[in-house]
Each structure stands twice: as C-alpha cells, then as structure tokens.
Amino acid sequence: MKKNAENKTLADQAADQMIRYIQEQGYVPGDRLPTEADLSKLLGVGRNTVREAVRVLASRNIVSVRQGSGTFLSEKQGLADDPFGFSFVEDRERLTRELMQTRVIVEPPIAALAAQNAEPEEIRRLEEILLEIEALIEAREDYSDKDTQFHAQIASCTHNSVVSRLVPVISSGVAVFAQEVPSEEYKQTLRSHRAIYNAIRGRKAVEAQQAMYLHLLFNESRYLEEMGDA
Amino acid sequence: MKKNAENKTLADQAADQMIRYIQEQGYVPGDRLPTEADLSKLLGVGRNTVREAVRVLASRNIVSVRQGSGTFLSEKQGLADDPFGFSFVEDRERLTRELMQTRVIVEPPIAALAAQNAEPEEIRRLEEILLEIEALIEAREDYSDKDTQFHAQIASCTHNSVVSRLVPVISSGVAVFAQEVPSEEYKQTLRSHRAIYNAIRGRKAVEAQQAMYLHLLFNESRYLEEMGDA
C-alpha cells in the first residue's frame, strides 16, 4: 500500500492505467465503463487486479459502483468526500473557528469574481436556492444543506473549477451551526443572503464582496459570542 | 461501496469504529496501532473486515501500513494525496490558470495572518527554507519542492489548521512551472521571496500581504505571457 511512484501496488498501477483509458475515451460523468472482463483484456491485467483498481478509484470518487448495473464515471470527478480529513479532527470547536476564519479570507473575493463572471442561467439557479432558503427560514426549519448549496453555486459562478471544489469543503464543515438561528436573527440572515444575491445579479463585484464579508463576519461574531457564553 | 450513513459497508463501519478508537486512545501521528488480531477483538469484528477497514483508512491517509512492522497513525492526518482530484483534470493549462487565480485570492491574506501570528521558531524555519531556495536559484536548479515548502510554512505560521491543509494543495499544483525561470527573472524571484520573509519576520501584516500579492501576480503574468507566446 505504499504510494510513491517507484513502489506502487499492482492495483494502483492498474488504477492509473484506467484513468488514462477513461481520459482517452473521453468519458463524461455518468458514463458506464466496460465490464470487469473487458477491462481485464483492455488493460492486460487479471480480473482480481481490475476489481482492486476499481475499489481504489471508487474510494477516490473517480468511479462509482452500482450493484447489479455496473461501474460508472462518478459525478464527483475525484473530489474526495472529506478531502482535508476534517472528520478526523477531535477539537470540533477549534475546527469550526478555523473554518470560519478561512471562509472570511476566501469567500468575499470569490463573491466578487462571481458577480463579474456569472451567466444568466447560473444567476437564475442562485435565485431558486435563495427562495428555498427563505422559505425554510420563514418556516423555522433547518436550512443548512441549502445554505451550503447557495455558497457552492456562488463558487461555480466564478467559472474557476478550483474555487468550485474548494468552497463546498470549507462551507459544509460549519453548516451544523445554521440550524440554531435564534428568532431575532432571522431578519439579518434573510437580509444578508438577499444582499449577496442582489449584488451578483446586478453585476456589482465590490458590493458582492462586501455583502459576503458582512454575512460571514456576522455569523462568526455570533458563533464566538455563543461560545463565550457557553 | 455506497457511502451514505444508512448504507455503509461492514468495512466502512469498522473504519469508523477504528477512528473513534484511535481518538479515544489519544494516539498521535507515528504511533503504532494494535495488531489485526487485537483490533479484531477490540472492535468485535472479523479479521477480514479489520484488514479491509485498514485499507480504507490507508487510502484516506489516516493510517499507513509498513510491511513487516505494522500499522501506524499517518503523519498526513487524513489529508488526501490529491484531495481535489486534480490528477484527473485533462486541461492542464486551464487548471494552472485556475490554480494561480485561486492562489492570488487566498494567499495574500494568509501571509498577513502569518505575519501577525508566527512564533519565533516558525520564523526561523521559514528563513531556513528561504536560504535553501536562494541557494537553488543561484545554482540554477529546480526549487519547486522548496517553494511549495515555503508557502506551506507561511500557512502553518497562521496557526489555522484549515489554512495549513489548504495551501499545499493549491500551491503544489502549479509547482511544475517553477523550474523554468528565465535568467533575467532570477533577481525578481529572489527579491520577492525575501520581501515576504522580511515582512513576516518584522510582524508587518500589511506588507506581508502586499509582498505576497506582488509575488503571485508577477508569476501569474509571466505564465500568461508565456502561454500567449506559445
């Protein structure tokens, strides 16, 4: 199970071969890959090695295996489920503070870039998510999944795939926290999401950046206050 | 191989158990874990399941298996080798541009935070790396690994573990490019690394941020020019 180039397991080598094969064939996410028997012939390795290689690629979210229907190119495109190993961090409070600090650094300039680069279709999708968030907030329901989607959609408006991969990782880590908004803060939460959306729709990069700062800093200060009280 | 909470494989469940066990025991990176037989007893699952769980944790860089000497808690602490799946991106030029844009967004405020939070010991380590980079540049040798280390060390000066995990991922992705600095740019490269170091050592957050901007924007413009010429 060593990982350096000189000392890869057979399965790792076969996995690399499979990646090259997938790229050469121009498969897109959702496409079905050849059967184990066909891959064994195509790559010139045993079926056990193919099976092990498929497991490696599945654990890296490059392919997904659906029992009974085959192996498919994954929609996750190789983005790991927990790429930074957050599930393995013990001090959850410290991690939450660090994630919030990282979001304050990263997300405001991303909102500016989104305002500059977003396509009309992407802005429409952002509005749909905003309306769902507003409905959940009005109904006093947990909107954390939708909130993660809102920030992910802003990231994809930048048309920078690195940013699109990064934002969900740092924003879903603190989502647990969105379920406990006290009543008196609903208004501010509604207002700050809408302000970000309005700035992006209006192509106002500076205002999008500032609205995102306000949103994240407000959340952060609320969290730190709560922790101080606890 | 499904990943949702309701439908985990036995091996994934055993892997989760092992993570909890590792945390309860307070193991630190480098510690040796109990043998397969002992883990089987401790977790109440079969040895095959333990073996499969160890493989899952190794692929997530939580443990590392050294043939003949046992299983250890990994120094990588769960940070995936290629967390964002960059090795799977076909358009390398576009990825490089996107990585550079992301670095320009992320790293300048990180340099500011580093200048504010760095401990003397961390600044000494940063200087060591700087001197190694300078020696390599003078000798006209490839300094890309050391450059990645330099930026990683700045990230760890922030004392924010999310930032420390993030920076190596986005900076090592473009390192390939550092090996071809044309002669006339050696001076600027030397100067810009030293300017960042000086600002951090002098606890000047604003200057550290600006020096990092200059460094990254200079690199970016050089790359875009070269691509335009090609």
Side-chain angles (χ1 to χ4, degrees):
Chain A
M1 266 185 266
K2 291 182 182 166
K3 291 285 172 117
N4 46 334
E6 296 74 29
N7 208 335
K8 288 196 164 190
T9 64
L10 271 181
D12 283 335
Q13 289 172 31
D16 288 346
Q17 270 182 281
M18 266 182 73
I19 288 178
R20 280 194 300 277
Y21 174 78
I22 288 167
Q23 291 178 331
E24 280 160 19
Q25 299 298 308
Y27 285 118
V28 297
D31 281 355
R32 187 208 302 263
L33 303 185
T35 63
E36 201 173 281
D38 289 339
L39 282 170
S40 165
K41 276 181 231 157
L42 283 162
L43 307 179
V45 298
R47 288 184 62 157
N48 279 334
T49 306
V50 169
R51 199 171 305 135
E52 194 54 38
V54 167
R55 238 178 251 154
V56 168
L57 294 181
S59 79
R60 290 174 55 192
N61 281 340
I62 290 172
V63 305
S64 66
V65 179
R66 295 180 216 149
Q67 291 309 328
S69 63
T71 300
F72 297 80
L73 194 56
S74 171
E75 306 285 347
K76 294 185 180 172
Q77 300 183 64
L79 177 61
D81 285 330
D82 176 23
F84 288 168
F86 292 148
S87 62
F88 195 60
V89 173
E90 261 184 282
D91 188 341
R92 308 307 296 180
E93 238 186 82
R94 183 177 164 184
L95 178 65
T96 303
R97 279 199 315 274
E98 292 177 341
L99 281 165
M100 287 185 151
Q101 188 181 48
T102 308
R103 293 186 67 177
V104 170
I105 290 175
V106 170
E107 291 197 58
I110 286 174
L113 197 59
Q116 180 192 288
N117 293 349
E119 300 286 347
E121 187 43 53
E122 293 166 332
I123 295 172
R124 266 194 293 281
R125 178 73 194 115
L126 188 63
E127 186 181 21
E128 276 170 32
I129 301 169
L130 175 72
L131 294 174
E132 290 172 316
I133 290 177
E134 292 183 342
L136 287 168
I137 292 181
E138 297 289 359
R140 305 292 190 260
E141 282 177 42
D142 176 11
Y143 67 98
S144 43
D145 284 353
K146 285 290 155 198
D147 189 61
T148 302
Q149 269 184 44
F150 184 74
H151 290 272
Q153 178 63 16
I154 291 171
S156 53
C157 289
T158 64
H159 304 173
N160 178 320
S161 74
V162 176
V163 163
S164 304
R165 285 162 202 244
L166 167 61
V167 165
V169 174
I170 57 171
S171 67
S172 65
V174 281
V176 276
F177 164 63
Q179 39 201 327
E180 301 158 26
V181 187
S183 265
E184 66 270 27
E185 279 155 13
Y186 279 143
K187 248 194 184 157
Q188 175 57 29
T189 307
L190 279 170
R191 204 160 36 205
S192 68
H193 281 98
R194 186 150 282 274
I196 296 167
Y197 166 74
N198 282 340
I200 291 173
R201 194 197 52 190
R203 307 270 177 214
K204 295 185 171 155
V206 175
E207 276 149 39
Q209 174 149 355
Q210 289 171 347
M212 185 63 89
Y213 264 123
L214 176 59
H215 175 58
L216 294 174
L217 289 171
F218 179 78
N219 280 353
E220 194 188 29
S221 74
R222 195 154 58 78
Y223 178 75
L224 294 176
E225 225 167 75
E226 236 166 68
M227 286 300 111
D229 293 349
Chain B
M1 267 186 263
K2 292 182 186 168
K3 292 283 174 119
N4 46 336
E6 295 75 28
N7 208 336
K8 287 197 167 193
T9 65
L10 269 184
D12 283 334
Q13 289 172 31
D16 288 346
Q17 270 182 281
M18 266 182 71
I19 289 177
R20 278 195 300 276
Y21 175 77
I22 288 167
Q23 292 179 332
E24 279 162 17
Q25 299 297 310
Y27 286 117
V28 297
D31 281 354
R32 185 209 302 264
L33 303 185
T35 62
E36 202 173 280
D38 288 339
L39 282 170
S40 164
K41 274 180 231 156
L42 283 162
L43 307 179
V45 298
R47 286 185 64 156
N48 280 334
T49 306
V50 169
R51 199 171 306 135
E52 195 54 40
V54 166
R55 239 179 248 150
V56 168
L57 294 180
S59 78
R60 289 174 57 191
N61 282 339
I62 290 172
V63 305
S64 65
V65 179
R66 295 179 216 150
Q67 291 309 328
S69 63
T71 300
F72 298 80
L73 195 57
S74 172
E75 306 285 347
K76 294 184 180 171
Q77 300 183 65
L79 177 61
D81 285 329
D82 176 23
F84 288 169
F86 292 149
S87 62
F88 196 60
V89 174
E90 261 184 281
D91 188 341
R92 307 308 295 180
E93 240 184 81
R94 181 177 167 186
L95 177 64
T96 303
R97 281 199 313 275
E98 292 177 342
L99 280 166
M100 288 183 150
Q101 188 180 49
T102 308
R103 292 186 68 177
V104 171
I105 290 174
V106 169
E107 291 196 57
I110 286 174
L113 198 58
Q116 180 193 288
N117 292 350
E119 299 286 346
E121 187 43 54
E122 293 165 332
I123 295 173
R124 267 194 292 280
R125 177 75 195 114
L126 188 63
E127 186 181 21
E128 277 170 30
I129 302 169
L130 176 71
L131 294 174
E132 291 172 315
I133 290 177
E134 292 184 341
L136 288 168
I137 292 181
E138 296 290 0
R140 307 291 191 259
E141 283 178 41
D142 176 10
Y143 66 98
S144 44
D145 284 354
K146 285 290 155 194
D147 190 62
T148 304
Q149 269 183 42
F150 185 75
H151 290 272
Q153 179 63 15
I154 291 171
S156 51
C157 290
T158 64
H159 304 173
N160 178 320
S161 74
V162 175
V163 163
S164 303
R165 284 161 202 245
L166 166 62
V167 166
V169 174
I170 58 172
S171 66
S172 65
V174 282
V176 278
F177 165 61
Q179 40 201 325
E180 303 157 24
V181 186
S183 265
E184 66 270 27
E185 282 157 11
Y186 280 144
K187 249 193 184 158
Q188 174 57 28
T189 308
L190 279 170
R191 207 160 31 208
S192 68
H193 281 97
R194 187 152 279 276
I196 295 167
Y197 166 74
N198 283 340
I200 291 173
R201 195 197 49 190
R203 307 270 176 216
K204 293 180 171 158
V206 175
E207 275 148 41
Q209 175 149 354
Q210 289 170 348
M212 185 63 88
Y213 264 124
L214 176 59
H215 176 59
L216 295 173
L217 289 171
F218 179 78
N219 281 353
E220 193 188 30
S221 74
R222 195 155 59 76
Y223 177 78
L224 294 177
E225 227 168 72
E226 237 166 68
M227 286 299 109
D229 293 348

